[in-house]
Amino acid sequence: GAVVSQHPSWVICKSGTSVKIECRSLDFQATTMFWYRQFPKQSLMLMATSNEGSKATYEQGVEKDKFLINHASLTLSTLTVTSAHPEDSSFYICSAGGGQGAGLRREQYFGPGTRLTVT
Amino acid sequence: GESVGLHLPTLSVQEGDNSIINCAYSNSASDYFIWYKQESGKGPQFIIDIRSNMDKRQGQRVTVLLNKTVKHLSLQIAATQPGDSAVYFCASRNTGTASKLTFGTGTRLQVTL
């Protein structure tokens, strides 16, 4: 149980275009979802926290107009990188938390990540 | 500021030996700690957690030790196997931050045959 999926697993896009990444909790309802960014050989950096039905809370230094987050349901959150540039190339990881259900003991359940390459 | 850091960026261990990965945290308000394993190109995988009211917790081949006095956390892996090769992160949560986690810098564990 407590599986989180991401789609796509990897994406290549051209500079200036927008790309959407989906994060789904497959077998539980998550009231909170988190989006992280990870550069090669570095740690996970929290970008934003989203709660179902409300606006996301962005970490300092993260442009909310560039990284649009939507958390429309208890099982789906999306991250849209708008007007992507090569420096946005990174590994984006989501996690889901605040779930309700038997066996959910942990704070966050992580997705497998999405590799974004902007050319 | 708040930080969670690791002492060693790379740890090389011979197969069968025990591994010890260390982590220091700076925020005394941290009340919950987690160790994650991350393989290349994958998301973090939960290993073990510990709450601040404990100083030791054991799992299968893994033990986490917490020393709140010096704000230090360690992960011990017994009988290290090649499949343990990965990057290990510690993460902490501060009381009242609604599950928000702060990750350490990571240690790469290399298991040699």
Side-chain angles (χ1 to χ4, degrees), chain A residues 10-37:
Chain A
W10 60 269
V11 57
I12 301 173
C13 71
K14 292 186 176 181
S15 186
T17 62
S18 296
V19 60
K20 180 185 288 186
I21 302 170
E22 293 185 349
C23 176
R24 293 182 185 273
S25 57
L26 298 184
D27 50 4
F28 68 102
Q29 294 184 327
T31 55
T32 306
M33 288 187 173
F34 304 85
W35 286 95
Y36 296 85
R37 182 174 182 175

Side-chain angles (χ1 to χ4, degrees), chain B residues 1 4 18 34 55 59 70 92 105:
Chain B
V4 181
N18 297 333
I34 312 169
D55 53 21
V70 295
S92 67
T105 54

Side-chain angles (χ1 to χ4, degrees), chain B:
Chain B
E2 173 184 346
S3 69
V4 181
L6 297 176
H7 296 305
L8 297 173
T10 303
L11 176 65
S12 186
V13 174
Q14 199 160 20
E15 181 181 7
D17 288 351
N18 297 333
S19 303
I20 299 176
I21 301 172
N22 296 302
C23 176
Y25 64 97
S26 60
N27 195 328
S28 58
S30 297
D31 66 348
Y32 177 63
F33 305 87
I34 312 169
W35 280 101
Y36 290 96
K37 173 186 180 183
Q38 187 179 30
E39 296 176 271
S40 181
K42 297 183 179 180
Q45 174 188 352
F46 174 94
I47 301 174
I48 192 168
D49 59 0
I50 188 168
R51 300 199 180 273
S52 59
N53 60 353
M54 303 172 67
D55 53 21
K56 180 179 180 179
R57 189 154 189 243
Q58 288 184 295
Q60 187 176 11
R61 281 203 305 122
V62 294
T63 301
V64 55
L65 299 178
L66 175 63
N67 186 330
K68 294 182 289 295
T69 302
V70 295
K71 299 190 187 70
H72 184 267
L73 188 69
S74 70
L75 176 69
Q76 300 178 2
I77 304 173
T80 311
Q81 302 169 0
D84 295 327
S85 294
V87 178
Y88 290 80
F89 293 98
C90 65
S92 67
R93 185 197 69 179
N94 297 335
T95 305
T97 55
S99 299
K100 179 178 170 179
L101 297 177
T102 300
F103 279 78
T105 54
T107 292
R108 178 172 297 282
L109 177 64
Q110 295 178 332
V111 181
T112 59
L113 302 178

